[in-house]
């Protein structure tokens, strides 16, 4: 049952164009010379078990003075799969990039676990580069402990329910049924309109499914299960915007509201009728974020 969450997460990157990848050792990847004339950077951080492909719309933001970079996770986009997701280490790498290139502005776009990395990076940047304007655009953010553990429990329950709905124990059929709920919440099996949208989403991704091994699952999730949102006031001065599905079955809106209330001046925007996969089910989010970055 635990693999159901892994399965659904991997579909987030399906069907997206792949940003050009350059360096293969540093977790950060960007075009050669991208920071030579840049004073502004856009950094995309995908969620667990997800390729940087899910963030491909950010490519259109690249200009002579605005660099676009991506943080690659272990086992994806050329990064070795025997490494671990370490939130503090990832945040420190992004903060160091900001300092080394004397950026005047940085926009951090993170999805799920990537949103946690973006927040922790914002805290560090505010400490070591206080003159840099920092913006966090968090999409379907993961939440502090114990919510990641509870999310696993919810995922197991959702998978059992999916098996009951399909009348099958075939892993693929069960995972596809659970994906519908992950994307659109309970209405995926109630509302005819939502059900049709869920069917279309599953059909579009059905032939692109790959599953990580259990070792990679542990390497991607251990740090998140232990994350407690230390020193939230360290993000003071950063602009924090959270986009969250109003029927997200992984990290519920009420828990998300309690979390964002602990952050300085964070703005939570709930998207009605959508679950955890906003990047696929609500593509309008990209126009919103791009408008904020280019204003």
């Amino acid at each position: 049952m635990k693999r159901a969450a892994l399965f659904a997460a991997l579909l987030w990157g399906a069907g997206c164009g792949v940003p050009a990848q350059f360096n293969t050792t540093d977790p950060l990847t960007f075009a050669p010379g991208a920071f030579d004339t840049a004073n502004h950077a856009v950094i995309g951080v995908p969620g667990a078990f997800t390729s940087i492909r899910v963030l491909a719309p950010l490519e259109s933001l690249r200009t002579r003075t605005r660099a676009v970079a991506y943080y690659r996770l272990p086992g994806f986009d050329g990064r070795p799969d025997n490494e671990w997701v370490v939130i503090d280490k990832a945040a420190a790498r992004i903060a160091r990039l900001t300092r080394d290139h004397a950026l005047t502005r940085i926009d951090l776009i993170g999805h799920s676990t990537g949103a946690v990395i973006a927040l922790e990076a914002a805290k560090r940047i505010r400490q070591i580069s206080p003159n840099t304007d920092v913006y966090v655009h968090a999409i379907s953010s993961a939440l502090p402990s114990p919510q990641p553990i509870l999310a696993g429990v919810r995922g197991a329950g959702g998978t059992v329910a999916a098996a009951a709905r399909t009348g099958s124990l075939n892993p693929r059929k069960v995972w596809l049924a659970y994906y519908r709920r992950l994307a659109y919440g309970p209405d995926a099996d109630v509302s005819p309109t939502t059900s049709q949208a869920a069917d279309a989403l599953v059909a579009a991704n059905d032939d692109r499914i790959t599953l990580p091994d259990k070792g990679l699952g542990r390497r991607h999730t251990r740090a998140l299960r232990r994350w407690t949102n230390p020193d939230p006031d360290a993000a003071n001065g950063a602009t924090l915007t959270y986009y969250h599905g109003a029927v997200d079955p992984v990290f519920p809106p009420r828990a998300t509201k309690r979390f964002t209330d602990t952050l300085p001046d964070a703005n939570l925007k709930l998207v009605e009728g959508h679950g955890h996969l906003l990047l696929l089910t609500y593509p309008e989010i990209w126009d919103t974020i791009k408008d904020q970055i280019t204003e």
Side-chain angles (χ1 to χ4, degrees):
M1 297 303 180
K2 292 180 180 178
R3 286 203 169 195
L6 308 188
F7 155 80
L10 282 177
L11 288 177
W12 298 340
C16 299
V18 183
Q21 298 165 45
F22 303 95
N23 46 317
T24 57
T25 53
D26 188 341
L28 283 174
T29 184
F30 46 84
F35 286 89
D36 290 352
T37 58
N39 56 21
H40 177 189
V42 175
I43 311 294
V45 190
F49 320 116
T50 310
S51 165
I52 60 174
R53 292 179 300 174
V54 76
L55 302 165
L58 298 178
E59 283 295 286
S60 64
L61 291 168
R62 185 182 300 175
T63 68
R64 189 182 70 84
T65 58
R66 185 191 302 122
V68 177
Y70 304 89
Y71 191 91
R72 300 173 298 131
L73 299 182
F76 289 86
D77 307 303
R79 186 173 172 189
D81 63 4
N82 62 347
E83 297 180 0
W84 292 72
V85 172
V86 181
I87 293 171
D88 287 348
K89 186 175 180 180
R93 176 66 187 96
I94 295 171
R96 189 167 69 250
L97 177 83
T98 306
R99 181 195 60 197
D100 290 349
H101 294 284
L103 299 174
T104 60
R105 172 170 175 165
I106 185 166
D107 285 82
L108 304 165
I109 298 91
H111 182 237
S112 198
T113 301
V116 171
I117 292 173
L119 174 61
E120 290 300 322
K123 294 177 185 178
R124 286 179 176 262
I125 294 167
R126 291 298 301 151
Q127 292 171 343
I128 69 174
S129 302
N131 294 324
T132 300
D133 293 329
V134 183
Y135 294 78
V136 172
H137 312 266
I139 305 169
S140 303
S141 181
L143 303 179
S145 179
Q147 284 298 327
I149 296 172
L150 296 176
V153 174
R154 296 182 194 108
T159 306
V160 170
R165 286 196 304 273
T166 60
S168 171
L169 293 179
N170 179 283
R172 185 180 183 86
K173 290 182 179 179
V174 172
W175 289 331
L176 287 172
Y178 176 67
Y179 178 62
R180 295 163 52 88
R181 184 181 180 90
L182 193 70
Y184 289 105
D187 270 3
D189 296 303
V190 177
S191 164
T193 301
T194 305
S195 180
Q196 186 177 18
D199 287 342
L201 192 64
V202 168
N205 292 283
D206 184 53
D207 62 349
R208 300 185 180 97
I209 299 169
T210 58
L211 293 173
D213 60 32
K214 292 181 180 178
L216 187 63
R218 290 192 298 270
R219 290 191 287 274
H220 273 226
T221 61
R222 184 179 68 175
L224 180 62
R225 292 196 301 270
R226 299 176 177 180
W227 181 67
T228 60
N229 186 30
D231 192 13
D233 287 339
N236 189 41
T239 300
L240 311 176
T241 306
Y242 281 74
Y243 302 92
H244 210 83
V247 290
D248 190 324
V250 181
F251 296 107
R254 288 186 180 179
T256 302
K257 179 63 165 58
R258 291 195 297 268
F259 163 61
T260 56
D261 283 347
T262 68
L263 300 173
D265 300 320
N267 184 17
L268 173 62
K269 299 183 178 182
L270 295 178
V271 183
E272 295 295 329
H274 292 266
H276 195 64
L277 306 183
L278 285 180
L279 296 182
L280 286 181
T281 64
Y282 188 69
E284 295 91 339
I285 196 169
W286 291 116
D287 290 334
T288 300
I289 290 174
K290 288 177 183 179
D291 287 345
Q292 291 180 338
I293 291 174
T294 57
E295 63 182 5

